[in-house]
Each structure stands twice: as C-alpha cells, then as structure tokens.
Amino acid sequence: MRRKITIGILCILASLLQTTLLSYIEVASIRPNFPLILTVSFALMCGRLTGTTVGFISGILLDLFGGGVLGYYALLYMLTGYAAGSAYRIFYDDDIKTPLLLIGLCDLACGIVQYVTTFLFRGRIHFFFYLKRIIVPEMIYTVIFAVFLYQLNYYVNKKTRRTYY
C-alpha cells in the first residue's frame, strides 16, 4: 500500500512540475519531460503493469492540469509504459546506461507520435524542422535530467519494494 501511495505522489509531483515550475527552466521553449522519465523508470524496474499504470496516471494528470484533449497523454504514456516495461526482464536496475537509452528512445518516439497526431494531420509537413528544433533538443534535455531523476526513482523503488526472505 505504501508503494502505491508513493508512486501516486510521484506521479502527481511530476505532472505538477511539468505543467507549472518547469517553464522557469525552459531552454529555447523546450522543457524536460518528467512524467516520461517517471513512467519509463518504473516500467523498467517493475514491469509492464506498473509502467502502464504509472503512464496512465501521469498522462491523465497531464491532461487534467494542462488542458487539451482528455486522454491524449494518458494513452500516449500508457503505451510508452507498456513498451518500456517489455525490457523489464533483460535489464539490471542499478545500471544507468540502459534506462537513459530507453528514456531517450521513448522521448523520441513520443515526440514523433505527437508530431504525427498534432501537426501532420493538420497539413504541416515540415518534419525535419520539427525534429531538429523540438524533438531532439527535448530528448537531450530529458536525458540530462533523467540522470538525476532515475537515481531518485531507483531509490524510491528500492525502499518501497517488498522483499521476501
């Protein structure tokens, strides 16, 4: 129960930070994606079910706090958590290279999906401009913050995990 409450609080904090305070550390209108870091981290450490749940909760909170279409980010982060949770069995928790790589790839995939669903369907076909100016800088910025936030998520996971002797 303590684990679920802790993960829920982390989801709320990540979504609130994403929609409020991160605007103060924007670089060229790009901000790191804290809910994505949280979703991929817990998906890697705990598996598909936890990744899907954390992704859904973080996404629905982003939809509620940020406005827009209700359920868009919930679906996007839920699918991201499911995909990242597929690597649960082939990954060691304390190794940071794999999570950073997967966080970067998931951010890249989310950026491309957001481009397709929000810009391409409206006739804006400047993909390489969008890739160079928004997707790749956001991915780099997110991976930089993931170096620190993954360690925090790893610590929380380690302290709240049940151990059976």
Side-chain angles (χ1 to χ4, degrees):
M1 187 65 169
R2 183 178 73 173
R3 179 181 180 80
K4 293 177 183 175
I5 292 171
T6 305
I7 290 174
I9 290 171
L10 284 175
C11 289
I12 292 170
L13 281 174
S15 299
L16 276 174
L17 286 173
Q18 184 71 29
T19 56
T20 57
L21 294 178
L22 286 184
S23 62
Y24 294 113
I25 60 169
E26 282 183 350
V27 175
S29 299
I30 304 295
R31 61 178 81 168
N33 198 337
F34 281 6
L36 184 83
I37 296 170
L38 184 73
T39 300
V40 174
S41 297
F42 277 101
L44 279 173
M45 291 185 280
C46 304
R48 287 181 183 160
L49 181 63
T50 303
T52 304
T53 306
V54 170
F56 178 76
I57 292 170
S58 296
I60 202 75
L61 288 172
L62 272 180
D63 288 333
L64 291 174
F65 295 152
V69 178
L70 186 64
Y72 176 74
Y73 286 108
L75 179 63
L76 184 63
Y77 287 162
M78 188 174 68
L79 292 174
T80 302
Y82 183 82
S86 299
Y88 167 65
R89 297 277 182 211
I90 59 170
F91 155 74
Y92 295 109
D93 289 345
D94 54 351
D95 181 28
I96 196 160
K97 294 181 296 283
T98 306
L100 292 181
L101 177 68
L102 196 58
I103 288 169
L105 289 175
C106 286
D107 198 348
L108 181 69
C110 284
I112 291 171
V113 168
Q114 287 174 348
Y115 165 77
V116 168
T117 56
T118 58
F119 291 107
L120 187 64
F121 286 158
R122 292 189 294 174
R124 298 181 181 169
I125 56 173
H126 304 291
F127 174 71
F128 291 109
F129 175 80
Y130 189 77
L131 182 72
K132 184 175 78 174
R133 293 287 173 104
I134 295 175
I135 296 175
V136 172
E138 180 185 322
M139 180 186 70
I140 293 169
Y141 205 22
T142 299
V143 169
I144 289 170
F145 272 86
V147 171
F148 305 107
L149 290 177
Y150 179 77
Q151 297 297 328
L152 175 69
N153 292 336
Y154 176 70
Y155 177 77
V156 167
N157 183 49
K158 195 167 124 181
K159 289 296 180 185
T160 60
R161 181 175 40 201
R162 284 187 187 161
T163 55
Y164 299 102
Y165 296 102

PDB file of all heavy atoms in Angstrom, residues 4-16:
ATOM      1  N   LYS A   4       2.164   2.000  -3.504  1.00  0.00           N
ATOM      2  CA  LYS A   4       1.178   2.606  -4.400  1.00  0.00           C
ATOM      3  C   LYS A   4       0.981   4.083  -4.086  1.00  0.00           C
ATOM      4  O   LYS A   4       0.868   4.908  -5.002  1.00  0.00           O
ATOM      5  CB  LYS A   4      -0.146   1.856  -4.306  1.00  0.00           C
ATOM      6  CG  LYS A   4      -0.072   0.447  -4.850  1.00  0.00           C
ATOM      7  CD  LYS A   4      -1.372  -0.274  -4.674  1.00  0.00           C
ATOM      8  CE  LYS A   4      -1.239  -1.707  -5.174  1.00  0.00           C
ATOM      9  NZ  LYS A   4      -2.433  -2.493  -4.932  1.00  0.00           N
ATOM     10  N   ILE A   5       0.939   4.410  -2.811  1.00  0.00           N
ATOM     11  CA  ILE A   5       0.773   5.814  -2.417  1.00  0.00           C
ATOM     12  C   ILE A   5       1.993   6.633  -2.832  1.00  0.00           C
ATOM     13  O   ILE A   5       1.861   7.745  -3.362  1.00  0.00           O
ATOM     14  CB  ILE A   5       0.517   5.921  -0.901  1.00  0.00           C
ATOM     15  CG1 ILE A   5      -0.860   5.334  -0.566  1.00  0.00           C
ATOM     16  CG2 ILE A   5       0.624   7.358  -0.416  1.00  0.00           C
ATOM     17  CD1 ILE A   5      -1.132   5.189   0.908  1.00  0.00           C
ATOM     18  N   THR A   6       3.177   6.073  -2.643  1.00  0.00           N
ATOM     19  CA  THR A   6       4.403   6.776  -3.019  1.00  0.00           C
ATOM     20  C   THR A   6       4.467   7.012  -4.524  1.00  0.00           C
ATOM     21  O   THR A   6       4.808   8.112  -4.975  1.00  0.00           O
ATOM     22  CB  THR A   6       5.637   5.970  -2.556  1.00  0.00           C
ATOM     23  OG1 THR A   6       5.535   5.734  -1.155  1.00  0.00           O
ATOM     24  CG2 THR A   6       6.912   6.715  -2.850  1.00  0.00           C
ATOM     25  N   ILE A   7       4.139   6.000  -5.314  1.00  0.00           N
ATOM     26  CA  ILE A   7       4.149   6.151  -6.767  1.00  0.00           C
ATOM     27  C   ILE A   7       3.081   7.157  -7.203  1.00  0.00           C
ATOM     28  O   ILE A   7       3.313   7.973  -8.098  1.00  0.00           O
ATOM     29  CB  ILE A   7       3.974   4.788  -7.457  1.00  0.00           C
ATOM     30  CG1 ILE A   7       5.229   3.944  -7.251  1.00  0.00           C
ATOM     31  CG2 ILE A   7       3.699   4.954  -8.940  1.00  0.00           C
ATOM     32  CD1 ILE A   7       5.125   2.529  -7.771  1.00  0.00           C
ATOM     33  N   GLY A   8       1.924   7.129  -6.565  1.00  0.00           N
ATOM     34  CA  GLY A   8       0.876   8.106  -6.870  1.00  0.00           C
ATOM     35  C   GLY A   8       1.320   9.535  -6.581  1.00  0.00           C
ATOM     36  O   GLY A   8       1.076  10.451  -7.371  1.00  0.00           O
ATOM     37  N   ILE A   9       2.001   9.732  -5.450  1.00  0.00           N
ATOM     38  CA  ILE A   9       2.512  11.063  -5.110  1.00  0.00           C
ATOM     39  C   ILE A   9       3.567  11.497  -6.120  1.00  0.00           C
ATOM     40  O   ILE A   9       3.596  12.665  -6.542  1.00  0.00           O
ATOM     41  CB  ILE A   9       3.057  11.074  -3.666  1.00  0.00           C
ATOM     42  CG1 ILE A   9       1.895  10.958  -2.674  1.00  0.00           C
ATOM     43  CG2 ILE A   9       3.880  12.321  -3.386  1.00  0.00           C
ATOM     44  CD1 ILE A   9       2.315  10.732  -1.235  1.00  0.00           C
ATOM     45  N   LEU A  10       4.438  10.562  -6.533  1.00  0.00           N
ATOM     46  CA  LEU A  10       5.443  10.896  -7.541  1.00  0.00           C
ATOM     47  C   LEU A  10       4.791  11.284  -8.873  1.00  0.00           C
ATOM     48  O   LEU A  10       5.263  12.199  -9.554  1.00  0.00           O
ATOM     49  CB  LEU A  10       6.403   9.725  -7.751  1.00  0.00           C
ATOM     50  CG  LEU A  10       7.464   9.515  -6.673  1.00  0.00           C
ATOM     51  CD1 LEU A  10       8.251   8.252  -6.954  1.00  0.00           C
ATOM     52  CD2 LEU A  10       8.388  10.712  -6.600  1.00  0.00           C
ATOM     53  N   CYS A  11       3.718  10.594  -9.247  1.00  0.00           N
ATOM     54  CA  CYS A  11       3.001  10.939 -10.484  1.00  0.00           C
ATOM     55  C   CYS A  11       2.411  12.342 -10.398  1.00  0.00           C
ATOM     56  O   CYS A  11       2.499  13.118 -11.355  1.00  0.00           O
ATOM     57  CB  CYS A  11       1.887   9.924 -10.759  1.00  0.00           C
ATOM     58  SG  CYS A  11       2.457   8.307 -11.273  1.00  0.00           S
ATOM     59  N   ILE A  12       1.813  12.660  -9.261  1.00  0.00           N
ATOM     60  CA  ILE A  12       1.232  13.989  -9.076  1.00  0.00           C
ATOM     61  C   ILE A  12       2.321  15.057  -9.121  1.00  0.00           C
ATOM     62  O   ILE A  12       2.174  16.084  -9.789  1.00  0.00           O
ATOM     63  CB  ILE A  12       0.432  14.059  -7.754  1.00  0.00           C
ATOM     64  CG1 ILE A  12      -0.814  13.178  -7.850  1.00  0.00           C
ATOM     65  CG2 ILE A  12       0.056  15.494  -7.406  1.00  0.00           C
ATOM     66  CD1 ILE A  12      -1.543  12.974  -6.546  1.00  0.00           C
ATOM     67  N   LEU A  13       3.439  14.811  -8.424  1.00  0.00           N
ATOM     68  CA  LEU A  13       4.539  15.781  -8.419  1.00  0.00           C
ATOM     69  C   LEU A  13       5.125  15.984  -9.813  1.00  0.00           C
ATOM     70  O   LEU A  13       5.393  17.122 -10.222  1.00  0.00           O
ATOM     71  CB  LEU A  13       5.636  15.327  -7.462  1.00  0.00           C
ATOM     72  CG  LEU A  13       5.405  15.585  -5.986  1.00  0.00           C
ATOM     73  CD1 LEU A  13       6.509  14.958  -5.153  1.00  0.00           C
ATOM     74  CD2 LEU A  13       5.325  17.073  -5.720  1.00  0.00           C
ATOM     75  N   ALA A  14       5.341  14.888 -10.534  1.00  0.00           N
ATOM     76  CA  ALA A  14       5.912  15.001 -11.881  1.00  0.00           C
ATOM     77  C   ALA A  14       4.981  15.782 -12.805  1.00  0.00           C
ATOM     78  O   ALA A  14       5.432  16.632 -13.574  1.00  0.00           O
ATOM     79  CB  ALA A  14       6.190  13.615 -12.456  1.00  0.00           C
ATOM     80  N   SER A  15       3.684  15.514 -12.722  1.00  0.00           N
ATOM     81  CA  SER A  15       2.734  16.215 -13.586  1.00  0.00           C
ATOM     82  C   SER A  15       2.602  17.687 -13.206  1.00  0.00           C
ATOM     83  O   SER A  15       2.506  18.549 -14.081  1.00  0.00           O
ATOM     84  CB  SER A  15       1.368  15.530 -13.522  1.00  0.00           C
ATOM     85  OG  SER A  15       1.472  14.213 -13.972  1.00  0.00           O
ATOM     86  N   LEU A  16       2.594  17.961 -11.909  1.00  0.00           N
ATOM     87  CA  LEU A  16       2.525  19.361 -11.473  1.00  0.00           C
ATOM     88  C   LEU A  16       3.775  20.128 -11.878  1.00  0.00           C
ATOM     89  O   LEU A  16       3.683  21.266 -12.365  1.00  0.00           O
ATOM     90  CB  LEU A  16       2.349  19.437  -9.952  1.00  0.00           C
ATOM     91  CG  LEU A  16       0.931  19.320  -9.431  1.00  0.00           C
ATOM     92  CD1 LEU A  16       0.926  19.265  -7.918  1.00  0.00           C
ATOM     93  CD2 LEU A  16       0.079  20.469  -9.929  1.00  0.00           C
TER      94      LEU A  16
END
